[in-house]
Amino acid sequence: MTSTTSSFKTGFAEGKAIFFWSLRRGRGILVLNATLQFLLFPFLTFLVVQGGRREYQENSYQQERYTLEEYLYNSFCSKSQAVFYGSLLVGIALCFILCAFLFGYLHQKRSVDLMHALPVGRVPMALGKFCAGLVILWLPILICFLLDLLLTVVMGVAGAPSFVPFLIGKMLPSLGWNMATLFTCLAVFLFFAVCCGTLLDTMISVIAVNVFYPMLLMFVWTNVAEQIPGFSTDYLGTGGPLDILIQIGSPLFAGFITPWMMTSRLLGNSLLMLAVGIVLVIASCLLYRYRKSECAESGFAFPLPKYIICFVATAASALLAGQVFQYINDTVVSYLAGLVIGSLLAHSIAEAIYSRGFRGLPKSFKAYGVFAVVFLIGYASVATGLYGYDTRVPRADQVESVEVYIPTQYLSQGYSGDVFSFNVQKVEMDPDGMGYTSTKSLVDLKHILRDTESIEKTIAFHQAVIDQYRQDLYPYLRPQSRYYKDITLIYHMKDGSEMKRVFSSRIYEEPDGDTEAELRLVDLFNVHEYRTCGNYLYYLEPDSIADIYVEFPHTETAVSAPVIGESGATAQEIESQTVELTLSHEQKEELLAAIRQDIDEMHVTQVEPLYYLDEPKVSIDCMEPFIPQGEALKELLGDNYTPGSRVIFSETMYFSLGGNYPHTTAVMESILEEYR
Amino acid sequence: MIEIRSLTKKFGNFTALDSISFSVGDGSIFGLVGSNGAGKSTLLRTIAGVFRPDGGEVLIDGLKPFENSAVKGRCMFISDYPYFFRQSTLSDMADFYRRIYPSWNENRFEQLCGIFPIERKKKIIEMSKGMQRQAALICALSTEPEYLMMDEIFDGLDPVIRQLLKRIVSGEVSDRNMTVLIASHNLRELEDLCDHVGLLHRGGILFERELDALKLGIQKVQAVLRPMPRPEELGLDLVTCQIRGSLIELVARGTQEEILARLDRFHPTFVEALPLTLEEVFINEMEAAGYDIDNILV
């Protein structure tokens, strides 16, 4: 114990000496960083707030709407995120300089002779230099941030009621993210400086891993999603595994993009970023202890990162070339040719860069062979359905419930584009009550089916879709972006697990005639629970309806057109007539009741309504802020809702009148009659 | 005391040091000689703790120097191309060593700055090669090391500074019992300074011996003999023998008295014992050992 304590004290003293020496030598970079951060934080704040003050004093309209503090606060907020981003960019750029300054000694034989002969352990040396780098990066940011805060107090910005929530909710998390990112960026440089033999290789490796790794992940992710039926397509910014993998493997890239994509998760991401940085620092220290001094100026001290980077760059380039070739010529052969050509080119370029020439290229094809085998195994796995992933269907008796999101033209279930995002939001109204300043999601409407019949019919539909995929696309040799995924099935299993699958409705819509999947979908649609569960129409209240627009069927007009050759051509000009209706409270109630009755009683025989194009289209603008009155909505909102506050639905409703909406059609006709 | 036991160091497939064993006693000045690529610099770097041995061990007072700050704090290594921080002056470097070495002696630094003709505030990078070595020496000696390792230290130094260096190093050895290892091609300089020498060749040590013992065991004699006997008639353990008319110049093993007594039997007109240079001793030793000397010393 005494020995350990003594060793720690000695190491600490050694690290301290290196730390202060490095800090002294790096004071130029410190001053540079401080100057840039000063320009970004207090100086820019001063300019922005001063400008805001002048605008406010010159604009009487703004004076009526806002207090001076509120106006200055708005000006301050508008520049805040950009400032934090700018500050982060400056810090990341300085990491490159700091890498050369702090860890460059590892890459010169002469400096290694000096530094490694010193009575300083390698770990204290690395940590002393790393900490000096951190101080150079962090100290100016912290001081300038505090000066910024002081300035907001002095200039009156902090007097705005929203300032403290903004400080806690946005500024401090952004500051934390910046500091965590810079910590990890410096750790990345330390790690590669230890692994590489030259500074150039260090820089190349850091850039390569931060460019090609996220590129590879995104290509793999999108390709797998587009190739394998059912594979979920959660992209960047959703906080999913893709984001976590990118943050772990390429912190510089994550540092750049995360503040824009996941502002609400910055705290968690900061902690993850910090954890990645700590792991990198520990790994660097462990590797440094075994690093051979003689590898300075020559290749890699630890070649594994080089092989991994070459592998990643080759794979990413192969997939990129595959996409490009497929875009040029949409065939499997073209896609495969792209994979091969892209990977060969990328491998040769990577080898030429790392070996400073092509002399080692023939030998390097052994590594390419390993890459090819691994890539082929991965490709074959995807092409054959990822070991049964594509055909996996749960048994009905294992399923507790299933969330079903399928676009349909019979009724609106909150389907917007290819995302189901229907929710009820809390609204902050403007003081004049004319508009609203912000919204906050209170509850998402979910279409969760629990009845055994619903589950069985969902599974039957699922199985039919899979069969259709297998029949049309198996083996899945290339990404099929045209089959965009718009169907989501999420099974909540009795054992607590979850199984999510997403599919494209195109797979069963495109073939002629009724496919098995379409028949199974009709079966599902005729289940009452499917139509009514989670359907927001059952939560709408008359006050939520603003206006109703009725678009009558197309009237086609033949117009003359230029004659081409011997045959004449005609163009069709499509005209439509839209009527805007404003209903009384009673009419709205009557309309809602009719819609609900139609949905309750609906029975369909085919997936798409035949009369769709010939019937008037109705869109109900139900995005009027209102105070909930009905028990159904109050129950849905639960504890999330503050009584008396206004809410708003996130989507409006579209449907076609006709056979499936007889009661609604009758009500609408009577209203239209009145209108006429 | 520096003990080297079966020390092996490899760079990839190339073996730079091949199971070397020898020791350097406290207070001695040990000269390492050998051709380019013999492993002199590698050996010094391994002793200084810069390189980790791939086999065997280096012990300084019984402790391994690699990753051992306590041992390294008592050693100082001046490489063949000393490194200085960018834009640094001698004062900056002194400040660095002052922070790192607990044994830093400020008075000694001031003293050495007075002895060596060097500007403290001038950027070292702008200095000549010889001046840079002087700067490195000043910093190294100011840490008052117990073990000083110098690689090709005489390169770039003018004769005056060489003599000054030898005097200072000898003084440190006699005053503080400092142990010195010098790797050099320059046998003449080593001859003046060293008390022990070791010859490295292709990663192995051919021999290491006390310089005086080395010189005492072999003699160079010039004599005029009439008539000239055949060399085998001399009854000497000859290493080399050249006869030009009545003049014979020979190198033979044995004490000076023994060899001269032998020659007296042939009633020489003139006989004289000549001093052997270290280079000649080496050449003779190597040839006697059956090595092709042209491939060993350059």
Side-chain angles (χ1 to χ4, degrees):
Chain A
M1 177 62 84
T2 310
S3 168
T4 310
T5 311
S6 163
S7 161
F8 176 78
K9 279 183 179 171
T10 311
F12 183 77
E14 292 166 5
K16 199 170 87 174
I18 291 293
F19 169 77
F20 281 111
W21 168 255
S22 303
L23 206 55
R24 185 171 176 271
R25 296 279 302 165
R27 59 187 183 274
I29 307 173
L30 183 74
V31 170
L32 173 68
N33 192 20
T35 308
L36 293 171
Q37 300 294 348
F38 182 83
L39 289 176
L40 283 168
F41 279 104
F43 186 69
L44 199 61
T45 296
F46 176 79
L47 291 182
V48 166
V49 175
Q50 196 64 19
R53 187 184 295 273
R54 196 182 61 251
E55 278 172 20
Y56 183 81
Q57 285 164 351
E58 290 170 357
N59 192 329
S60 57
Y61 174 71
Q62 300 292 3
Q63 288 171 14
E64 286 169 16
R65 291 185 54 151
Y66 301 105
T67 64
L68 174 64
E69 285 78 12
E70 283 171 346
Y71 193 80
L72 295 180
Y73 163 76
N74 288 338
S75 305
F76 176 75
C77 288
S78 63
K79 69 102 197 178
S80 184
Q81 192 177 8
V83 163
F84 277 106
Y85 196 65
S87 166
L88 184 62
L89 291 184
V90 166
I92 290 175
L94 285 177
C95 281
F96 283 85
I97 300 172
L98 282 172
C99 172
F101 166 68
L102 293 169
F103 313 126
Y105 77 93
L106 289 164
H107 309 122
Q108 294 177 48
K109 288 186 190 299
R110 290 174 61 193
S111 50
V112 163
D113 281 344
L114 172 72
M115 301 302 282
H116 285 179
L118 293 175
V120 178
R122 291 189 176 196
V123 172
M125 184 169 303
L127 290 180
K129 282 177 169 280
F130 182 79
C131 291
L134 266 192
V135 169
I136 290 170
L137 288 171
W138 278 3
L139 191 65
I141 295 178
L142 278 176
I143 290 174
C144 291
F145 178 76
L146 290 174
L147 282 175
D148 201 38
L149 283 187
L150 191 67
L151 203 63
T152 56
V153 173
V154 171
M155 297 187 80
V157 178
S162 306
F163 182 78
V164 174
F166 182 72
L167 173 68
I168 295 168
K170 291 278 182 190
M171 289 173 72
L172 289 178
S174 295
L175 179 71
W177 170 256
N178 280 13
M179 294 179 79
T181 302
L182 292 178
F183 175 90
T184 305
C185 285
L186 197 61
V188 170
F189 277 103
L190 170 64
F191 179 78
F192 280 104
V194 169
C195 290
C196 296
T198 66
L199 191 60
L200 183 63
D201 282 337
T202 305
M203 298 292 181
I204 289 171
S205 301
V206 169
I207 293 169
V209 83
N210 280 283
V211 170
F212 288 110
Y213 175 72
M215 193 170 136
L216 175 66
L217 278 182
M218 282 190 277
F219 274 130
V220 167
W221 208 260
T222 50
N223 279 20
V224 168
E226 286 179 6
Q227 276 180 263
I228 300 178
F231 198 87
S232 178
T233 51
D234 289 334
Y235 293 110
L236 272 178
T238 57
L242 185 60
D243 292 305
I244 293 170
L245 285 173
I246 284 179
Q247 206 169 326
I248 289 171
S250 54
L252 269 76
F253 180 82
F256 275 122
I257 61 160
T258 305
W260 296 111
M261 307 197 71
M262 289 188 282
T263 48
S264 60
R265 298 194 189 94
L266 273 185
L267 185 63
N269 283 73
S270 301
L271 292 175
L272 176 64
M273 187 63 104
L274 212 55
V276 172
I278 290 168
V279 169
L280 281 173
V281 170
I282 292 170
S284 305
C285 289
L286 291 175
L287 287 174
Y288 188 26
R289 293 189 66 177
Y290 295 96
R291 186 182 194 270
K292 292 190 169 183
S293 301
E294 58 267 30
C295 67
E297 298 178 18
S298 59
F300 276 74
F302 302 99
L304 189 62
K306 176 194 163 184
Y307 294 133
I308 292 173
I309 288 169
C310 285
F311 184 96
V312 166
T314 308
S317 305
L319 293 173
L320 173 66
Q323 294 278 9
V324 171
F325 275 57
Q326 186 178 237
Y327 178 75
I328 295 166
N329 182 8
D330 195 9
T331 61
V332 173
V333 174
S334 180
Y335 177 69
L336 294 178
L339 292 183
V340 174
I341 292 169
S343 64
L344 279 172
L345 275 176
H347 174 81
S348 305
I349 292 168
E351 189 58 34
I353 290 172
Y354 275 129
S355 304
R356 313 283 193 273
F358 290 97
R359 286 187 67 183
L361 190 60
K363 214 174 172 183
S364 74
F365 277 105
K366 282 182 191 168
Y368 181 81
V370 175
F371 159 80
V373 169
V374 174
F375 191 87
L376 208 62
I377 291 170
Y379 179 78
S381 306
V382 172
T384 53
L386 208 60
Y387 311 107
Y389 180 94
D390 63 329
T391 53
R392 205 166 298 149
V393 178
R395 287 205 327 261
D397 59 346
Q398 296 172 325
V399 178
E400 181 73 39
S401 62
V402 56
E403 280 182 62
V404 183
Y405 302 95
I406 304 169
T408 167
Q409 290 169 356
Y410 283 114
L411 52 81
S412 175
Q413 285 185 315
Y415 179 79
S416 169
D418 58 352
V419 180
F420 288 89
S421 59
F422 199 85
N423 57 29
V424 186
Q425 300 164 351
K426 183 185 175 184
V427 178
E428 291 291 337
M429 301 300 292
D430 276 343
D432 56 10
M434 297 296 289
Y436 48 90
T437 52
S438 66
T439 58
K440 182 189 165 192
S441 179
L442 291 176
V443 64
D444 289 324
L445 279 151
K446 292 184 174 177
H447 302 255
I448 302 177
L449 310 181
R450 291 189 168 80
D451 290 351
T452 309
E453 185 195 5
S454 308
I455 292 169
E456 282 173 351
K457 289 193 171 170
T458 304
I459 290 172
F461 168 68
H462 183 171
Q463 184 62 56
V465 171
I466 287 171
D467 293 342
Q468 193 72 45
Y469 265 107
R470 279 259 162 177
Q471 183 186 318
D472 293 357
L473 299 178
Y474 190 83
Y476 317 112
L477 292 175
R478 65 192 173 108
Q480 300 273 6
S481 56
R482 61 190 295 273
Y483 290 96
Y484 57 88
K485 293 182 173 176
D486 53 0
I487 293 172
T488 305
L489 305 174
I490 305 171
Y491 296 97
H492 300 283
M493 313 301 280
K494 285 176 179 166
D495 62 5
S497 62
E498 190 181 284
M499 179 176 162
K500 182 179 178 183
R501 293 293 185 270
V502 291
F503 300 105
S504 172
S505 57
R506 266 198 166 190
I507 197 72
Y508 58 76
E509 283 174 354
E510 282 190 345
D512 294 334
D514 287 343
T515 60
E516 183 67 17
E518 284 175 310
L519 296 175
R520 297 289 76 77
L521 182 57
V522 168
D523 286 349
L524 179 60
F525 198 85
N526 284 327
V527 176
H528 183 261
E529 186 190 22
Y530 174 77
R531 293 194 307 275
T532 57
C533 173
N535 190 334
Y536 80 111
L537 295 168
Y538 289 80
Y539 302 100
L540 277 183
E541 294 184 10
D543 289 343
S544 64
I545 298 173
D547 295 305
I548 293 174
Y549 300 90
V550 183
E551 186 186 331
F552 292 99
H554 304 140
T555 51
E556 296 175 357
T557 311
V559 294
S560 62
V563 176
I564 302 169
E566 293 180 352
S567 62
T570 58
Q572 286 187 324
E573 193 175 82
I574 298 173
E575 291 177 348
S576 62
Q577 185 191 356
T578 303
V579 174
E580 181 182 345
L581 302 172
T582 303
L583 274 56
S584 67
H585 187 82
E586 290 71 26
Q587 284 174 318
K588 289 175 185 174
E589 272 186 342
E590 193 183 358
L591 180 64
L592 280 176
I595 291 170
R596 287 167 187 163
Q597 188 179 356
D598 281 335
I599 293 171
D600 281 341
E601 295 169 2
M602 196 177 282
H603 182 84
V604 299
T605 53
Q606 54 206 21
V607 173
E608 298 299 335
L610 284 178
Y611 50 82
Y612 178 69
L613 291 172
D614 303 324
E615 298 293 340
K617 288 178 196 157
V618 178
S619 64
I620 301 177
D621 178 359
C622 51
M623 293 177 69
E624 182 75 12
F626 68 103
I627 298 171
Q629 305 292 331
E631 287 307 313
L633 183 55
K634 283 182 181 173
E635 193 180 330
L636 174 73
L637 294 172
D639 296 337
N640 298 329
Y641 176 66
T642 311
S645 61
R646 288 173 187 269
V647 299
I648 189 171
F649 283 86
S650 66
E651 295 286 340
T652 196
M653 180 194 181
Y654 304 94
F655 64 101
S656 295
L657 294 179
N660 291 104
Y661 287 92
H663 301 95
T664 310
T665 306
V667 171
M668 285 302 300
E669 278 176 355
S670 70
I671 293 170
L672 285 168
E673 195 61 36
E674 194 179 318
Y675 161 77
R676 288 189 186 107
Chain B
M1 183 180 187
I2 299 173
E3 291 170 89
I4 293 161
R5 298 176 185 163
S6 306
L7 180 65
T8 302
K9 180 67 195 172
K10 294 180 178 176
F11 299 127
N13 295 327
F14 174 69
T15 305
L17 298 176
D18 192 3
S19 197
I20 288 176
S21 298
F22 67 96
S23 61
V24 180
D26 286 344
S28 69
I29 304 177
F30 193 100
L32 273 172
V33 295
S35 57
N36 291 333
K40 303 185 296 293
S41 301
T42 303
L43 179 58
L44 285 191
R45 285 185 173 91
T46 312
I47 295 171
V50 177
F51 288 166
R52 181 201 288 268
D54 292 318
E57 59 186 4
V58 174
L59 298 174
I60 296 179
D61 290 340
L63 298 168
K64 293 178 182 176
F66 186 80
E67 276 291 86
N68 189 334
S69 305
V71 175
K72 284 181 176 179
R74 293 155 56 202
C75 302
M76 175 54 78
F77 171 55
I78 303 175
S79 68
D80 44 355
Y81 295 99
Y83 178 78
F84 304 96
F85 298 113
R86 285 175 201 280
Q87 311 290 322
S88 63
T89 62
L90 178 58
S91 298
D92 292 332
M93 291 307 295
D95 183 36
F96 174 68
Y97 282 104
R98 193 179 293 123
R99 290 167 189 266
I100 304 293
Y101 282 87
S103 58
W104 176 267
N105 186 330
E106 194 63 34
N107 292 333
R108 185 66 176 143
F109 174 70
E110 294 295 334
Q111 203 180 7
L112 289 166
C113 285
I115 294 172
F116 286 99
I118 194 166
E119 289 177 54
R120 284 192 215 188
K121 297 294 175 189
K122 187 176 177 182
K123 285 178 186 170
I124 298 176
I125 200 77
E126 293 172 358
M127 293 179 181
S128 69
K129 187 180 174 186
M131 297 294 272
Q132 289 190 12
R133 282 184 195 280
Q134 288 177 47
L137 268 169
I138 292 171
C139 291
L141 293 171
S142 299
T143 65
E144 299 203 321
E146 291 177 37
Y147 297 91
L148 177 63
M149 283 141 277
M150 299 185 284
D151 195 1
E152 301 294 356
I153 192 67
F154 298 110
D155 274 12
L157 296 181
D158 63 47
V160 176
I161 299 296
R162 286 183 192 194
Q163 290 309 313
L164 184 61
L165 168 64
K166 288 176 196 170
R167 190 158 52 81
I168 291 171
V169 169
S170 303
E172 295 276 340
V173 170
S174 60
D175 294 348
R176 298 195 295 106
N177 201 33
M178 182 173 75
T179 307
V180 182
L181 267 89
I182 308 177
S184 178
H185 290 109
N186 195 328
L187 296 173
R188 289 191 197 287
E189 300 293 353
L190 291 182
E191 189 177 2
D192 292 346
L193 189 61
C194 299
D195 50 28
H196 282 73
V197 286
L199 178 63
L200 279 174
H201 179 56
R202 289 181 185 167
I205 192 146
L206 293 186
F207 71 82
E208 63 87 16
R209 227 170 278 171
E210 196 175 345
L211 196 57
D212 288 342
L214 198 63
K215 285 186 173 180
L216 285 174
I218 194 162
Q219 310 297 330
K220 184 177 179 182
V221 177
Q222 225 174 25
V224 176
L225 301 174
R226 289 194 186 92
M228 179 61 72
R230 283 179 291 151
E232 55 270 24
E233 290 171 355
L234 293 173
L236 290 169
D237 183 4
L238 288 174
V239 177
T240 61
C241 179
Q242 284 185 328
I243 299 170
R244 287 188 291 273
S246 58
L247 179 68
I248 183 167
E249 188 177 291
L250 57 87
V251 176
R253 293 184 195 284
T255 63
Q256 194 173 334
E257 291 74 24
E258 282 171 0
I259 293 168
L260 291 177
R262 278 276 179 191
L263 289 174
D264 268 347
R265 294 179 191 172
F266 296 93
H267 308 291
T269 313
F270 165 78
V271 65
E272 182 188 26
L274 298 172
L276 263 173
T277 63
L278 183 58
E279 194 166 337
E280 286 170 314
V281 174
F282 268 137
I283 289 168
N284 292 323
E285 285 289 342
M286 291 302 94
E287 285 182 344
Y291 287 95
D292 180 4
I293 198 67
D294 291 337
N295 289 331
I296 297 175
L297 291 174
V298 289

